[in-house]
Amino acid sequence: MAYIIEFTGPVLVAGDDQRHGLWSVDGKLTFERPVAAPDSVLDGWVLPGFVDAHCHIGLGVGGAVDEQTTLAQAQADLKAGTLLIRDAGSPSDTRWVQRREDLPRLLRAGRHIARSRRYLRGLGHEVEPDELVETARKEARDGDGWVKLVGDWIDRGTGDLSVSFPRNVVRDAIAAAHDEGARVTAHCFAEDTIDDMLDAGIDCIEHATGLLPRHIPRLVEQSVPIVPTLVNIATFPDIAAQAAPKFPVYADHMTRLWERRRERVLEAFEAGVGIFAGTDAGSVIKHGRIADEMKELYDAGLPPTAVLDAATWGARKWLGAQGISEGASADVVLCRDDPRKNLATVASLNHVVLRGKVVQWE
């Protein structure tokens, strides 16, 4: 016998497309009423499962974590309604997560690729410029369609943020990843890093704290989205305070980037730059904070429907994942209220359904 769930509330197929009458039959969505009675009836406003477009499963403060810790991370995201994760770099082999039917879907990017001695220890491959192209090619083959570069980091010699690799080498590395069928994203804090990445043909910009008016037309023209990770950017004042005694220029730079974080995101949105929700969970940011990131985007000035698009319909389309459609996997969340009118409702979900099974918590 097929297992049937009936969803009795309004169904948000898109921000401007509300329907009624949705069922899950053996894990697949359908708008056609089944002949048999439902085994379960769930009420609430139905949305596609949330997407965390910048998340680190299997990563901790010192690098790779054990499987039990990784499991707890994935379960925290699941409980928050995150049913699709785009990994943004992890030193752990998390393929086993992909084989678990009770954990969020995971798109792996492999390890970060950083400049030698210019990143947090234990997190990524640390290479010199002459090694970047082949490392990017290897990670492209090893991941699930994404490669993660560390575009800049503090240079202790100059005492400020500085690009990690020469522009021409980044261009060749991105071309190599593209040859392997992968897209490339890059950690970018500083202003000049974004210029270099756009020149090199990057596919996405993470953080984008250095976003300036000159970048926005290029992002639109090249169809390069940003993932602002505002819950992570909130840590900049603490980073600046710790760095100030030894690196005052860097500390001042980080503070200024933090001060304009919301203004930059709103400017990008109003100009038509794609924006997707990502928490940067892992290391210092706890997992399960997708609702917090959505609130940050709203506080930056994005309307609720745009925020929801950044974490559901638009994000899924960008990643090539299913939303709410006939025959799609039943990966949905149910909100108490209409999230387009009360965005806060995403923080206290009625139900989470993954692969047609209602997620239960003790």
Side-chain angles (χ1 to χ4, degrees), residues 149-297:
L149 304 180
V150 178
D152 56 29
W153 200 250
I154 184 173
D155 183 334
R156 288 168 174 79
T158 63
D160 197 5
L161 290 169
S162 179
V163 297
S164 301
F165 299 101
R167 184 183 310 178
N168 64 315
V169 179
V170 173
R171 180 197 62 216
D172 292 344
I174 291 174
H178 287 171
D179 286 345
E180 301 295 335
R183 289 183 280 183
V184 184
T185 193
H187 161 111
C188 298
F189 281 169
E191 296 84 353
D192 291 345
T193 314
I194 298 176
D195 293 295
D196 286 0
M197 291 298 167
L198 289 171
D199 288 345
I202 199 74
D203 300 291
C204 180
I205 299 289
E206 310 297 321
H207 316 302
T209 49
L211 189 68
L212 295 174
R214 71 172 184 259
H215 300 131
I216 291 177
R218 298 192 63 191
L219 290 167
V220 174
E221 181 182 351
Q222 295 176 219
S223 299
V224 176
I226 64 173
V227 183
T229 67
L230 291 172
V231 293
N232 179 33
I233 306 311
T235 66
F236 276 23
D238 288 340
I239 294 172
Q242 294 174 28
K246 193 172 182 179
F247 301 109
V249 174
Y250 167 75
D252 178 66
H253 196 174
M254 294 292 281
T255 299
R256 286 185 283 109
L257 293 175
W258 172 78
E259 289 172 342
R260 290 198 67 243
R261 68 199 184 283
R262 290 173 175 166
E263 182 181 342
R264 289 184 174 103
V265 171
L266 182 58
E267 289 172 352
F269 168 73
E270 290 179 338
V273 176
I275 295 175
F276 299 111
T279 64
D280 206 358
S283 187
V284 299
I285 304 298
K286 292 182 179 180
H287 285 260
R289 296 193 61 191
I290 190 63
D292 293 338
E293 183 64 20
M294 293 166 73
K295 182 180 184 302
E296 286 282 353
L297 292 172

Side-chain angles (χ1 to χ4, degrees), residues 13 28-29 47-53 82-87 104-108 144 146 183 276 309-332 354-355:
V13 176
K28 300 296 183 182
L29 295 174
L47 285 166
F50 300 143
V51 177
D52 191 334
T82 295
L83 305 186
L84 174 61
I85 292 170
R86 184 187 66 141
D87 169 51
R105 299 179 190 276
L106 175 64
L107 300 176
R108 296 171 46 258
D144 301 320
W146 284 94
R183 289 183 280 183
F276 299 111
D309 192 66
T312 59
W313 315 291
R316 285 178 169 273
K317 181 178 180 181
W318 175 56
L319 294 174
Q322 296 174 317
I324 296 178
S325 60
E326 188 70 30
S329 179
D331 298 349
V332 298
L354 175 64
R355 298 180 173 94

